[in-house]
Amino acid sequence: TLLFWTGDIVASCNTGYYTRAGEVVLRRRAILIHYAKTWLAPDVVIVTADWAVILASLVSSAAGSAGFARSAKLARITRVARLLRLMRLVKLRKLSYMLQSLIDSEWLILVAAVGKNLISIVLLNHCLACLWFGVGVSQGSE
């Protein structure tokens, strides 16, 4: 997913947008200015944090056994990176609302909502199953 979000920054620099008046803007300079004013800073912070976590883990694994303080610092960085990733959900939610506004059929909107709820339930069940699997593995065979 890191490569996807890194590529998303490049793609967002080349994606037109609608003005409040409903006009489509496709001029690259205007797109870059609009992206810089809206989502560029959060995207760069999030992706940079992700890359920093990966580089830190590579450096620590190459350096051998790291001390406790270094491991704790890496854990904090990882926690912050996870929180920053949640900001992406805001962007995805806006995309979801935009796609919903383009659908004229009430039936398709209903099918999309049911599908979204179904996917949420499946993901929740997956997380619970992973949690129980972790409990079982941590207990070992007794």
Side-chain angles (χ1 to χ4, degrees):
T1 61
L2 180 58
L3 293 177
F4 171 80
W5 290 109
T6 303
D8 180 60
I9 292 175
V10 175
S12 294
C13 290
N14 296 305
T15 304
Y17 65 95
Y18 287 97
T19 63
R20 292 180 190 237
E23 299 172 356
V24 179
V25 176
L26 297 175
R27 293 183 322 274
R28 183 161 311 215
R29 182 175 171 86
I31 292 169
L32 288 172
I33 291 170
H34 180 261
Y35 183 52
K37 289 179 180 178
T38 56
W39 280 101
L40 180 64
D43 285 348
V44 168
V45 168
I46 293 167
V47 172
T48 303
D50 285 346
W51 280 111
V53 167
I54 288 177
L55 290 175
S57 66
L58 289 174
V59 168
S60 69
S61 66
S65 61
F68 178 74
R70 185 179 291 168
S71 297
K73 185 175 182 180
L74 183 61
R76 281 194 307 268
I77 291 171
T78 305
R79 219 175 306 131
V80 169
R82 284 187 199 143
L83 289 173
L84 289 174
R85 287 180 194 158
L86 290 176
M87 287 181 63
R88 293 179 186 157
L89 294 178
V90 174
K91 192 173 185 180
L92 289 176
R93 178 174 280 171
K94 282 187 176 186
L95 178 65
S96 172
Y97 287 139
M98 185 194 69
L99 289 175
Q100 263 186 344
S101 69
L102 295 175
I103 298 174
D104 289 336
S105 170
E106 191 172 320
W107 184 82
L108 282 176
I109 290 174
L110 182 64
V111 168
V114 169
K116 187 170 63 172
N117 289 337
L118 184 63
I119 289 171
S120 298
I121 291 169
V122 168
L123 287 174
L124 178 64
N125 284 336
H126 171 76
C127 291
L128 288 173
C130 289
L131 178 74
W132 281 112
F133 177 78
V135 168
V137 168
S138 68
Q139 296 298 320
S141 59
E142 294 177 6

